[in-house]
Amino acid sequence: MKAIVVMQFGGPEVLTYTEINQPKAGPGQVLIKVEACSVNFSDIKTRRGSKGNGKVPYVPGIDAAGIITEVGENVHGLTAGQRVIAFPKGGAYAEYAVAPANLTFPISEEIDFLTAAAAPIASFTAYQLLADVARIQAGETVLVHASGGGVGTTAIQLAKLLGAGKVIGTVSKDEKAAVVLEAGADHVINTSTEDFAQKTLEFTNGAGVDIVLDSIAGDVTEKSLDCLAMFGRIVHFGNAGGNSGLIQTKDLHASCRSIRGFSFGTIRKHRPELVQPVASQIIRYLEEKRLNMVVGHTYKLADAAKSHALIEERKSKGKMVLILPDSELNQSLQL
């Protein structure tokens, strides 16, 4: 089968489109013919070797949409021919991928494969950040950092669906503002030209926000405390900025504010049973067209390196999706 393989750590150029052996479904697993898969920032960190525990060669990619072609032993409730979204075990940038049955979720014809491929990491992460970790309450105000990306545009929509009164997004470039507003944000702040903490206080009449979704870390985390309301929660779920933030304990206890950490990768690995209820909720939102996955870019699988380069240049908007060679999407998207 055709796949993208990383033979050594490095830049986008190490993503090699090549032929490898097709995997087989083992016990508790299913084999999926991949129609499309998404590109995530964690794919880039792994490719660079910055995660510290990666080994080469490997097939990148952590989520996919496709059709089950083979079911392993001890698998119940899944059958060949089902359309699914999944979190593959050995990579998603390939024509076929093996996924654990407990991290594979059937979808109806109401959800097209482009939407399905864009959804898993972005929507599952955003939902858990808001509903399970921040425990959003009706009427609360939410600040979403890096709001022009896949998780950001999805979190804006989910915040409103979960009852947020106001959502503020930050971006690094003016050209990303439109996609943030289209996703439903009430205000957008360009952090390259504006002090986001000051602007957030202006937008909230000095009260600050109740929830901050922070995937950047460093001074962004530190400055977020300057616009966090009493009883507010910062949910930290990434370090895209590359630096750690320093927090003073005096900034927390008297104001009843908190900083909470989250990793969807840790949930999948250690608490996979928590993913099923999230999947059910997200799939329902998608079927009812209440959640719109913002897909800003599509590439052929062979052009995966271009997708990584675009993200590293900070030019991407919404989700990035890779389309497989014989996917039904090829014709409709005219790739």
Side-chain angles (χ1 to χ4, degrees):
M1 68 174 185
K2 292 293 186 180
I4 294 291
V5 178
V6 175
M7 301 301 295
Q8 62 182 26
F9 297 123
E13 70 279 357
V14 304
L15 296 172
T16 304
Y17 186 59
T18 188
E19 191 94 16
I20 63 173
N21 292 331
Q22 182 178 309
K24 293 184 178 297
Q29 299 176 332
V30 296
L31 179 66
I32 299 168
K33 177 184 177 295
V34 179
E35 293 286 321
C37 59
S38 79
V39 179
N40 296 283
F41 190 71
S42 62
D43 300 344
I44 291 169
K45 290 179 64 179
T46 304
R47 189 208 71 222
R48 292 171 178 167
S50 57
K51 281 198 169 184
N53 57 353
K55 296 180 181 180
V56 291
Y58 74 93
V59 175
I62 51 180
D63 60 353
I67 300 170
I68 294 177
T69 59
E70 180 184 322
V71 177
E73 297 178 1
N74 302 319
V75 172
H76 306 285
L78 296 172
T79 60
Q82 280 184 308
R83 304 169 82 256
V84 295
I85 52 177
F87 299 97
K89 182 180 180 181
Y93 291 19
E95 291 184 293
Y96 289 85
V98 168
N102 63 349
L103 290 174
T104 300
F105 309 99
I107 58 173
S108 70
E109 296 282 349
E110 296 296 317
I111 305 174
D112 64 86
F113 278 127
L114 184 64
T115 296
I121 288 294
S123 61
F124 288 29
T125 298
Y127 185 85
Q128 286 205 279
L129 290 172
L130 291 161
D132 300 334
V133 186
R135 297 179 183 176
I136 187 171
Q137 301 296 310
E140 289 192 315
T141 301
V142 182
L143 173 64
V144 181
H145 286 303
S147 60
V151 173
T153 53
T154 309
I156 290 167
Q157 296 177 69
L158 288 172
K160 289 296 184 76
L161 285 172
L162 293 169
K166 180 180 293 184
V167 180
I168 303 167
T170 70
V171 295
S172 59
K173 298 176 183 292
D174 281 337
E175 53 264 36
K176 295 187 178 185
V179 73
V180 175
L181 291 171
E182 288 170 9
D186 298 283
H187 304 284
V188 184
I189 303 168
N190 183 341
T191 56
S192 298
T193 58
E194 300 174 297
D195 182 318
F196 78 80
Q198 180 181 335
K199 293 296 293 185
T200 296
L201 289 173
E202 291 179 16
F203 291 142
T204 58
N205 297 318
V209 294
D210 303 292
I211 296 170
V212 176
L213 301 187
D214 168 32
S215 61
I216 302 175
D219 59 358
V220 170
T221 305
E222 297 168 10
K223 284 185 65 65
S224 292
L225 280 165
D226 295 338
C227 59
L228 187 67
M230 289 184 65
F231 302 98
R233 293 85 72 198
I234 295 176
V235 184
H236 171 65
F237 65 104
N239 62 335
N243 298 310
S244 298
L246 298 177
I247 305 302
Q248 301 292 323
T249 54
K250 63 180 177 63
D251 291 329
L252 301 178
H253 75 277
S255 59
C256 294
R257 301 186 299 180
S258 62
I259 299 177
R260 305 174 182 183
F262 179 78
S263 164
F264 186 56
T266 300
I267 295 294
R268 296 197 312 275
K269 182 177 180 180
H270 297 287
R271 301 284 178 84
E273 70 279 2
L274 298 180
V275 181
Q276 177 61 63
V278 178
S280 298
Q281 186 64 58
I282 291 298
I283 289 171
R284 183 168 68 84
Y285 281 148
L286 292 173
E287 288 178 340
E288 295 174 353
K289 312 300 182 187
R290 300 174 68 192
L291 174 63
N292 172 41
M293 297 307 303
V294 179
V295 179
H297 315 268
T298 57
Y299 288 92
K300 295 179 180 179
L301 180 65
D303 294 328
K306 294 180 181 179
S307 71
H308 279 223
L310 197 69
I311 291 177
E312 291 186 295
E313 292 165 4
R314 301 172 74 181
K315 294 180 179 179
S316 62
K317 301 173 186 177
K319 283 297 294 182
M320 188 97 61
V321 174
L322 301 179
I323 311 300
L324 275 293
D326 61 349
S327 169
E328 64 182 43
L329 291 170
N330 270 311
Q331 185 174 357
S332 60
L333 296 175
Q334 297 183 338
L335 291 179

